[in-house]
Amino acid sequence: MPAEDNFTVTPYAVEGDIDYDRLLDKFGADALTTEQKAKFPDPGHPLVRRNVFYAERDVDPFLDAASDDKLHSIVTGRGPSGPMHIGHIFPFYFAKYLQDRTGTLVYIPFSDDEKYFLKDKSLGEISDYTRENLLDLLAVGFDPERTRIIVDTADADVMYPLATAFAKEVTQATVDATYGDPENIGLSFYPAVQATHLLFPQLVEGRHPTLVPIAVDQDPHVRVCRDIAAKERYDVAKPGALLSKFLPSLEGPGKMSSSDDAPSILLSDDRETVFDKIRTHAYSGGQTGLEEHREQGGNPEVDVSYQFLYYFFEESDEQVERLAREYREGSLLSGELKEMAAENIANFLEAHQERRRALGSLEDELEQFRLTESERQDARRRAGYPDSSLVQQ
């Protein structure tokens, strides 16, 4: 009999020492191939080159459309249950990289309703986090002509009619088997809302390849949506997925979280705070003593400072390879590695924070990213709502 997994990965819980290859078997996804990585636009993104995005579902139609200058889109969302940290933001900068190089349409849904169902927080708290998170997303610098930001409760006139149509395609048995026993009926219904998120670009623009770059724990949402997309009554393609590993927490292997006691580096942290968190909390792969480290070297595979640089915060492949080599040899010390990681992260955050400070009011900035009335009408019509007069009252 195969050994029992000693980890849990679901949209609502990530625990244990994750075997990413084993997850591919469990979820039925495929490893991202060398040939597929080469099809991403130059210069290839570190998240792809370094196998952080390591698995996929139907990524080829998206890459082919991007290469041929044909219509293609990305959906990457945010659940506003707290302040954003560095683990939350890198998928959005990845989406901007694709938009800048291939004109990708980017759709960003905010699942404020799901977070209210899931978290012990008031509607007011979720609303406050939504506003703060929106400002961080706007600071990324997306092209408003090719980006739409949707907030479930604020755009309920279009999101919930579509979710109602898709909800009829999903049985409670499917929800239970995919997510476990939901805590409330809101979470039972939410997979239909998530399917609306993932199919929304096609409902607005017509059938085309869509890619969902997400952490691997969110893959169940894609699987349920792909089953809905397969129904002949909807003229949509199954959305593809690009699945990533987790950015580790400061305390070591595992998913970085802003909702538990583990420290995390927030997008609002200043330089001093970043250095303090890295120096104090970043798990080291080095030896306990200087002489021992010089003799035996360190392990970059578990060193959090190195992993931060490897995942996102060091552009040069030659540099990360050199750091890994010198760390293993013992010529690079854990403290030196921490200082490099803190410096790069602080520089990144300062640039992000400067762009955020330069924004105008949220209402004015967000307006240019909102759905137009014609886009709302097109989405409702393609999902089977030819007459929207009732929802407009």
Side-chain angles (χ1 to χ4, degrees):
M1 293 180 61
E4 184 176 349
D5 294 329
N6 60 352
F7 60 89
T8 299
V9 175
T10 75
Y12 303 131
V14 177
E15 300 171 351
D17 187 10
I18 300 163
D19 184 333
Y20 287 104
D21 292 333
R22 172 65 181 140
L23 272 181
L24 295 189
D25 294 335
K26 291 181 67 174
F27 288 175
D30 296 314
L32 194 65
T33 67
T34 301
E35 292 75 16
Q36 288 169 330
K37 293 178 186 179
K39 292 169 69 175
F40 281 85
D42 292 330
H45 198 280
L47 292 171
V48 174
R49 297 197 309 263
R50 298 173 192 166
N51 213 37
V52 178
F53 281 119
Y54 81 109
E56 56 88 21
R57 296 181 186 277
D58 285 344
V59 74
D60 290 302
F62 174 90
L63 293 173
D64 291 340
S67 298
D68 296 339
D69 199 26
K70 295 180 179 178
L71 181 64
H72 62 288
S73 63
I74 268 186
V75 180
T76 181
R78 169 69 185 142
S81 62
M84 293 184 71
H85 59 60
I86 57 175
H88 294 138
I89 202 64
F90 71 74
F92 297 100
Y93 277 96
F94 175 75
K96 181 176 173 7
Y97 143 80
L98 287 173
Q99 185 176 77
D100 288 346
R101 285 159 179 79
T102 67
T104 307
L105 297 179
V106 177
Y107 278 71
I108 305 174
F110 266 65
S111 53
D112 57 338
D113 48 355
E114 182 208 23
K115 293 309 176 185
Y116 178 67
F117 300 147
L118 185 63
K119 303 292 185 178
D120 185 20
K121 298 183 185 296
S122 69
L123 288 169
E125 289 175 303
I126 296 295
S127 177
D128 289 343
Y129 286 131
T130 298
R131 294 181 64 84
E132 291 300 312
N133 290 181
L134 282 167
L135 288 168
D136 274 318
L137 266 294
L138 291 169
V140 173
F142 291 107
D143 176 2
E145 295 297 318
R146 308 191 70 80
T147 308
R148 290 294 177 263
I149 298 175
I150 303 129
V151 180
D152 284 349
T153 57
D155 294 299
D157 64 312
V158 63
M159 298 307 294
Y160 273 81
L162 304 188
T164 300
F166 297 142
K168 195 171 183 178
E169 312 292 351
V170 184
T171 67
Q172 188 62 46
T174 296
V175 173
D176 293 346
T178 305
Y179 300 97
D181 187 18
E183 295 181 8
N184 52 61
I185 59 173
L187 289 176
S188 290
F189 182 73
Y190 185 72
V193 181
Q194 181 69 279
T196 304
H197 292 165
L198 304 189
L199 296 176
F200 202 78
Q202 296 186 72
L203 296 175
V204 172
E205 301 286 346
R207 186 184 181 105
H208 67 266
T210 299
L211 186 66
V212 187
I214 49 174
V216 67
D217 61 325
Q218 301 299 303
D219 183 62
H221 291 315
V222 177
R223 298 202 304 271
V224 171
C225 179
R226 284 166 61 85
D227 288 344
I228 294 172
K231 306 291 184 181
E232 293 184 0
R233 67 178 62 89
Y234 304 114
D235 186 19
V236 292
K238 293 181 179 180
L242 193 60
L243 306 178
S244 80
K245 300 172 183 177
F246 299 121
L247 187 70
S249 73
L250 282 168
E251 294 182 335
K255 180 182 179 182
M256 177 174 279
S257 175
S258 57
S259 59
D260 57 27
D261 293 332
S264 55
I265 299 175
L266 304 179
L267 299 187
S268 58
D269 284 345
D270 60 23
R271 178 173 292 269
E272 181 180 355
T273 301
V274 171
F275 272 82
D276 180 66
K277 286 182 175 179
I278 292 288
R279 289 166 177 165
T280 305
H281 299 288
Y283 182 84
S284 171
Q287 306 301 328
T288 56
L290 177 60
E291 293 304 319
E292 186 180 9
H293 183 87
R294 294 290 192 195
E295 292 177 2
Q296 300 181 26
N299 181 3
E301 301 301 324
V302 300
D303 189 286
V304 168
S305 296
Y306 177 80
Q307 290 300 309
F308 284 174
L309 292 168
Y310 183 87
Y311 270 52
F312 188 71
F313 294 103
E314 173 52 58
E315 174 66 29
S316 168
D317 290 342
E318 292 77 11
Q319 173 75 340
V320 294
E321 290 170 3
R322 181 183 68 80
L323 293 176
R325 181 178 66 254
E326 292 180 356
Y327 198 52
R328 291 190 182 98
E329 293 171 349
S331 58
L332 178 64
L333 303 179
S334 297
E336 294 171 330
L337 197 52
K338 286 187 176 187
E339 295 299 297
M340 292 179 191
E343 179 71 17
N344 285 21
I345 293 170
N347 289 344
F348 170 85
L349 290 181
E350 285 183 345
H352 179 88
Q353 292 161 10
E354 181 61 31
R355 289 192 297 273
R356 177 173 163 150
R357 283 191 295 269
L359 296 171
S361 72
L362 175 60
E363 287 72 20
D364 290 343
E365 295 286 350
L366 187 59
E367 183 61 31
Q368 58 190 329
F369 294 92
R370 297 292 304 277
L371 294 166
T372 67
E373 184 53 39
S374 63
E375 289 168 343
R376 294 169 189 268
Q377 294 277 17
D378 287 344
R380 287 189 288 249
R381 175 177 53 80
R382 287 194 174 97
Y385 284 83
D387 183 358
S388 63
S389 58
L390 288 178
V391 299
Q392 287 182 311
Q393 292 180 0

